[in-house]
Amino acid sequence: MEVNTNFEIRIRKSEVSRIDSLDFNNIPFGKVFSDHMFSADYYDGEWRDCEILPFSKISISPSMTALHYGQAIFEGMKAFKDMEGNPQLFRPEQNFTRFNNSAHRMAMPELPEEIFISAIKEIVSLDRDWIPSQPNCALYIRPFMFATDEFIGIKPSDNFKFMIFTCPVGIYYPKPVKILVSEQYVRAFPGGAGFAKAAGNYGATLLPIKEARTDGYDQILWMEGGKFKFIQESGTMNAFFMIDDVLITPELDGTILDGVTRNSVIQLMKDKGVTVEERPISIDEVVDAYHTRKLQDAFGTGTAVTIAHFESIGYKGEEIMLPHCHRFLSRNQVQ
Ligand code: COI
């Protein structure tokens, strides 16, 4: 069979822009969507029908397998405007690589780089007026893929849809976050799919987060599932701890997301001469560092959250307060 390498994108522009409905000085996170979306379909073993069209609802069958078995993955990335007002993407090749790693783990077809990158460039360029220039704002880009077989039974789908939409966003966490160490629920195990940006990884965390919220926390700090000792990540973020002038973050052991912001923070801190360690870090090490006054900072990183300081970490009934939590990063701004 001949393989299709011609991924020409058909463009159908929206007749009227909805941009006037957005208050750029008051942008909520993830609620307003720009004018266009991208769509491509995978069938008969190939990606086809690349199209940019007006953002709209899509029609699906109730028997679509993604709805039942969770064969669905996504990415999150951002576009900004440079000094001349031109759109700039932040390290899109890293999202592309991670997207295909997620696709592989979820038995989904990989996407050619040409489709992923050129579709993003095209849609961002078309909706460039939606990129906010206000501080801490950006155009959030959401590429995603899901299984579209209409079928009851457990097997990888033969058909998939890849889509991208964008939305102008402001701050995800408007203030430092209160974190609860998980001692009951587990997000990921070795050999599982914790590293993949798979929809189900997020769905399974919603109940624990809901319960934590009723106790006044914003997020959970996930522990490994054996003894609940070693830190994994914090839902929307990779976790970092500054202890005695060393920046420590859990290593990429297959249970946590290979964060693009994580990666950037590690590199920028190394460039500034800070010692960075990617290694197992236990919650006891953090608690000890707190009691011996060596814990200087704790924060999460992610595309949506950028850098979110931890205000406090709740563990076994104790609250680790980080009163000086802005100290280290504000001296060494990475953004
Ligand atoms: C991101 O940081 O982009 C995420 O995907 C986290 C969250 C909004 C689900």
Side-chain angles (χ1 to χ4, degrees):
M1 188 165 56
E2 223 175 84
V3 177
N4 180 16
T5 51
N6 174 17
F7 303 117
E8 202 178 314
I9 302 174
R10 223 179 102 209
I11 298 181
R12 190 152 51 87
K13 286 193 187 170
S14 69
E15 282 168 18
V16 187
S17 173
R18 288 176 285 101
I19 200 162
D20 287 343
S21 63
L22 178 66
D23 174 1
F24 274 88
N25 292 313
N26 190 12
I27 306 178
F29 197 102
K31 290 189 177 164
V32 184
F33 306 105
S34 346
D35 285 328
H36 297 92
M37 62 185 191
F38 173 88
S39 170
D41 290 306
Y42 182 89
Y43 53 93
D44 294 339
E46 278 185 36
W47 284 104
R48 304 159 194 265
D49 308 336
C50 298
E51 186 181 21
I52 288 178
L53 63 164
F55 182 90
S56 63
K57 297 197 172 162
I58 56 172
S59 155
I60 53 166
S61 162
S63 68
M64 188 186 77
T65 53
L67 294 178
H68 302 266
Y69 314 119
Q71 213 184 0
I73 59 171
F74 70 97
E75 266 305 319
M77 48 200 294
K78 279 179 177 168
F80 303 86
K81 273 187 192 157
D82 67 15
M83 305 292 254
E84 281 76 48
N86 299 313
Q88 297 291 342
L89 299 172
F90 185 69
R91 310 184 86 180
E93 67 293 339
Q94 297 212 358
N95 296 89
F96 167 69
T97 303
R98 191 172 65 185
F99 191 73
N100 275 346
N101 288 341
S102 301
H104 178 74
R105 179 61 182 83
M106 298 300 290
M108 301 167 91
E110 293 188 7
L111 208 79
E113 184 165 8
E114 199 188 329
I115 296 188
F116 190 90
I117 300 288
S118 47
I120 287 171
K121 285 188 176 161
E122 199 70 58
I123 196 168
V124 167
S125 168
L126 200 60
D127 281 340
R128 60 198 296 149
D129 292 346
W130 289 83
I131 307 174
S133 18
Q134 284 73 2
N136 297 317
C137 295
L139 187 71
Y140 187 86
I141 305 165
R142 172 50 60 88
F144 60 111
M145 190 206 301
F146 54 96
T148 54
D149 273 12
E150 297 172 10
F151 175 70
I152 294 299
I154 307 291
K155 73 164 189 66
S157 184
D158 293 320
N159 300 282
F160 296 87
K161 193 177 263 302
F162 170 64
M163 301 192 77
I164 306 169
F165 63 80
T166 67
C167 54
V169 292
I171 281 183
Y172 193 86
Y173 291 123
K175 56 182 187 48
V177 282
K178 294 185 177 170
I179 299 290
L180 175 67
V181 173
S182 112
E183 292 182 73
Q184 178 188 1
Y185 298 108
V186 180
R187 177 189 172 273
F189 278 93
F195 68 90
K197 225 164 157 54
N201 278 346
Y202 293 81
T205 64
L206 297 177
L207 174 69
I209 293 171
K210 186 174 159 192
E211 291 178 357
R213 289 215 169 115
T214 60
D215 291 334
Y217 295 98
D218 302 302
Q219 257 302 341
I220 291 200
L221 188 58
W222 296 103
M223 299 290 120
E224 113 293 336
K227 298 204 165 93
F228 288 85
K229 281 285 173 210
F230 285 94
I231 295 167
Q232 291 183 333
E233 64 173 50
S234 182
T236 44
M237 315 171 260
N238 290 112
F240 283 81
F241 302 88
M242 190 78 195
I243 298 178
D244 214 6
D245 286 340
V246 176
L247 188 60
I248 306 163
T249 192
E251 65 193 334
L252 299 177
D253 63 354
T255 65
I256 65 169
L257 201 74
D258 183 0
V260 178
T261 314
R262 171 190 184 277
N263 204 313
S264 308
V265 166
I266 290 172
Q267 192 56 53
L268 287 166
M269 286 307 197
K270 282 184 178 168
D271 292 350
K272 282 177 179 288
V274 174
T275 304
V276 182
E277 293 180 359
E278 293 177 67
R279 62 161 170 86
I281 173 165
S282 69
I283 187 64
D284 291 340
E285 184 177 345
V286 174
V287 173
D288 281 355
Y290 173 65
H291 289 304
T292 53
R293 305 185 66 85
K294 289 184 178 159
L295 179 64
Q296 295 156 304
D297 207 342
F299 58 93
T301 63
T303 296
V305 306
T306 61
I307 291 176
H309 286 280
F310 296 169
E311 177 181 319
S312 60
I313 303 172
Y315 181 51
K316 289 198 187 300
E318 181 183 15
E319 286 302 316
I320 294 181
M321 301 303 296
L322 292 147
H324 42 239
C325 67
H326 299 286
R327 211 175 68 183
F328 187 81
L329 270 187
S330 48
R331 266 199 276 119
N332 295 273
Q333 274 300 338
V334 293
Q335 283 204 305

